[in-house]
Amino acid sequence: SSGINAEYGHWDMRSMRQPLQSCKLGGGVWRIKRNQENTHILVAGMHSGFHILDLEKLQINKTFTEHGSLAYGAAWMADGLVATCSFYDNLFSVWDSGLDHSMISGT
């Protein structure tokens, strides 16, 4: 989970007092998209850009900050590409996630 506190948390539904692990992302989190092929998530951190987070290590693998306004929309694409868009400037970008392409496609 995440939210305006700008922290991503792994939870055990049997004990909701605090997350099992957490990672500070900065800027408030607007959207989280899980990669169905591996253990990474794509995070739109409103004021801190877009992040690819490794869920096994709970660390940021890559950050994309080329947008000029709120990081808003994010989606995984084929061949290790990521599509992102920002809110006020209506900018749409496609960029390389930097992940091993064979790991993403399952081949």
Side-chain angles (χ1 to χ4, degrees), residues 84-101:
T84 54
C85 64
S86 46
F87 192 75
Y88 295 114
D89 60 1
N90 300 309
L91 181 65
F92 175 80
S93 297
V94 175
W95 47 281
D96 190 336
S97 67
L99 298 176
D100 180 2
H101 296 267

Side-chain angles (χ1 to χ4, degrees), residues 57-73:
K57 298 175 184 172
L58 209 58
Q59 70 181 25
I60 297 171
N61 280 6
K62 187 167 188 173
T63 297
F64 184 78
T65 58
E66 303 303 314
H67 290 272
S69 71
L70 294 177
Y72 186 70

Side-chain angles (χ1 to χ4, degrees), residues 5-105:
N5 70 349
E7 192 169 319
Y8 176 81
H10 271 275
W11 294 87
D12 182 339
M13 298 296 283
R14 298 168 294 183
S15 176
M16 297 296 290
R17 289 193 173 146
Q18 63 184 25
L20 295 173
Q21 294 178 299
S22 63
C23 177
K24 295 233 184 250
L25 298 171
V29 173
W30 183 261
R31 188 166 319 280
I32 299 172
K33 293 286 187 170
R34 175 129 194 208
N35 188 317
Q36 298 301 315
E37 303 293 327
N38 58 48
T39 61
H40 291 85
I41 59 171
L42 177 59
V43 178
M46 293 186 296
H47 300 285
S48 64
F50 296 91
H51 310 285
I52 296 176
L53 183 66
D54 182 332
L55 291 177
E56 288 181 348
K57 298 175 184 172
L58 209 58
Q59 70 181 25
I60 297 171
N61 280 6
K62 187 167 188 173
T63 297
F64 184 78
T65 58
E66 303 303 314
H67 290 272
S69 71
L70 294 177
Y72 186 70
W76 291 100
M77 299 175 64
D79 297 326
L81 297 177
V82 173
T84 54
C85 64
S86 46
F87 192 75
Y88 295 114
D89 60 1
N90 300 309
L91 181 65
F92 175 80
S93 297
V94 175
W95 47 281
D96 190 336
S97 67
L99 298 176
D100 180 2
H101 296 267
S102 63
M103 184 174 68
I104 294 170
S105 65

